[in-house]
Amino acid sequence: RFRDWNCAVKGNNDMLSISQPHIIKGIYMQYLEEGGSNMIGTNTFSSTTIAMADYQMEAYAYELNYVGARLAREACDEVTAKDPSK
């Protein structure tokens, strides 16, 4: 989707939520299962229109936040389904 983007996207780690969601969800799962976290944040620290302007991706700010939150919710639901005490 972003392979031929019109500017460099190196360093835009937030973009991984929509370009490589399995990686981000895997990180969430590691925090919850291996790290013992009871709560996690999302990979959306720079998912603002201001920050995304560096990559000419302001229009993707909403999608980045939505997908980041959805992936975190899915990871939490999966862990809770395995162990309802979590």
Side-chain angles (χ1 to χ4, degrees):
R1 183 174 175 184
F2 301 106
R3 180 172 295 191
D4 297 320
W5 198 248
N6 55 352
C7 69
V9 294
K10 185 175 183 178
N12 187 355
N13 297 320
D14 291 31
M15 186 180 73
L16 293 172
S17 292
I18 55 178
S19 65
Q20 298 291 321
H22 63 283
I23 292 173
I24 299 304
K25 187 174 177 182
I27 292 169
Y28 294 159
M29 294 296 289
Q30 286 179 324
Y31 272 104
L32 293 164
E33 294 180 323
E34 297 170 27
S37 295
N38 291 324
M39 101 175 97
I40 56 174
T42 60
N43 182 48
T44 56
F45 183 77
S46 297
S47 294
T48 65
T49 54
I50 294 168
M52 287 295 117
D54 293 345
Y55 307 100
Q56 299 175 8
M57 298 180 82
E58 303 93 336
Y60 292 92
Y62 176 85
E63 183 180 1
L64 290 165
N65 283 285
Y66 181 86
V67 172
R70 190 196 74 218
L71 293 170
R73 177 77 263 164
E74 288 174 4
C76 290
D77 289 347
E78 285 179 29
V79 169
T80 301
K82 292 177 190 174
D83 180 355
S85 70
K86 295 187 176 199

